[in-house]
Amino acid sequence: MADDRAPRPGSVSVARRIVIYRHGICMWGGDHNHHDRIDRWNQRPASYRLQVAGDQPSGVVDYNMYTAFRTQFDNAADKDLVVIELSTLGGDPEVARMMGEDVRFASETEPQRRFVFLGKAVIYSAGVTFMSFFARSNRYHARGTRLMIHERKLSKSLVIDGPLTTCIAVVRATLNEIECSIAMQNEGFENLILGSNVTIDEVMQKAPSNWYLEAQEAKTLGLIETVL
């Protein structure tokens, strides 16, 4: 049997997937005939599944990660199937939203393509935010992966000093900031639980104290498609 890791005459070569994990980024993709491979990833040789390409940013979700992600995401523009692997302890939620919006926009403007999330080891905080931009049917986790869902945090000193009307403006500006952040946070929670057995009330009850989930539990709750 021919090895499908190598391009054959007249075939479309399997090129790239994106992998964002604690040691770096790489990319894999394929044409539409390769979508069934998702159910067989765990049968692939490690050298095939973890081929490192390009620069290797840290596991923190930050602008360096976004730059590497965006570069390789653009390089996979001709692939119908793009698998994005992630392992992270968290980072900047706005960067996670930027990455997620790139995936969402491409999914909506190019419906013939499929974008799949594969979580590995740990998906904490901003990593869950990024995952929430994928349809539930396109969320996969490696065995033993842990998720952590929590509320956004704010650390800020509020100094009130000046005319009373100015003091009101300072307080109101901080309150507006908090309310806006809560709204964005809850939008992410709603996206995360869409199509699952989890209610927004349950998330809001557990998130303030950091809600940890094992991959199989996340599958049982309907937050992900399956565990590989």
Side-chain angles (χ1 to χ4, degrees):
M1 181 178 296
D3 185 348
D4 62 31
R5 288 176 290 169
R8 296 182 291 275
S11 71
V12 177
S13 63
V14 178
R16 301 179 181 88
R17 67 177 176 178
I18 301 173
V19 182
I20 311 171
Y21 58 119
R22 296 184 68 182
H23 302 294
I25 286 185
C26 58
M27 186 178 298
W28 175 83
D31 61 30
H32 61 279
N33 294 322
H34 298 289
H35 287 205
D36 61 337
R37 289 190 178 141
I38 292 172
D39 297 326
R40 295 183 282 119
W41 280 336
N42 56 337
Q43 302 174 13
R44 297 296 181 186
S47 60
Y48 177 58
R49 297 174 61 203
L50 297 177
Q51 178 184 0
V52 176
D55 295 333
Q56 298 185 7
S58 68
V60 177
V61 179
D62 57 14
Y63 284 97
N64 289 331
M65 177 179 281
Y66 179 76
T67 298
F69 162 81
R70 184 69 212 199
T71 297
Q72 298 194 65
F73 190 76
D74 291 342
N75 288 341
D78 61 336
K79 304 304 170 188
D80 288 342
L81 172 63
V82 178
V83 180
I84 303 175
E85 293 185 17
L86 174 65
S87 179
T88 181
L89 295 174
D92 189 332
E94 300 311 324
V95 173
R97 292 178 68 236
M98 288 168 58
M99 293 164 56
E101 284 294 342
D102 288 343
V103 173
R104 181 198 61 78
F105 182 78
S107 298
E108 292 184 358
T109 58
E110 302 174 273
Q112 77 282 3
R113 303 178 70 197
R114 186 179 183 187
F115 299 90
V116 175
F117 179 92
L118 176 58
K120 301 181 72 175
V122 288
I123 304 297
Y124 288 178
S125 187
V128 176
T129 299
F130 179 53
M131 185 184 76
S132 71
F133 282 85
F134 292 77
R136 191 194 69 101
S137 60
N138 289 330
R139 299 176 192 165
Y140 293 76
H141 279 188
R143 187 179 306 168
T145 299
R146 262 65 178 181
L147 293 82
M148 190 270 281
I149 304 167
H150 72 126
E151 285 196 333
R152 292 191 177 203
K153 292 179 171 58
L154 176 65
S155 178
K156 182 173 185 177
S157 297
L158 183 61
V159 178
I160 301 177
D161 181 14
L164 294 181
T165 53
T166 303
C167 293
I168 293 175
V170 171
V171 173
R172 185 169 292 144
T174 300
L175 181 59
N176 290 341
E177 177 186 359
I178 294 172
E179 290 176 340
C180 181
S181 295
I182 290 173
M184 290 190 293
Q185 165 193 277
N186 292 349
E187 287 173 7
F189 288 160
E190 293 282 4
N191 290 335
L192 177 67
I193 66 175
L194 185 65
S196 75
N197 302 321
V198 180
T199 66
I200 189 63
D201 289 339
E202 184 176 5
V203 176
M204 297 305 298
Q205 178 184 4
K206 296 182 177 181
S209 56
N210 294 358
W211 186 16
Y212 289 87
L213 291 164
E214 193 271 335
Q216 194 61 48
E217 185 180 1
K219 176 187 175 183
T220 301
L221 291 174
L223 294 173
I224 64 173
E225 181 66 16
T226 196
V227 179
L228 301 178

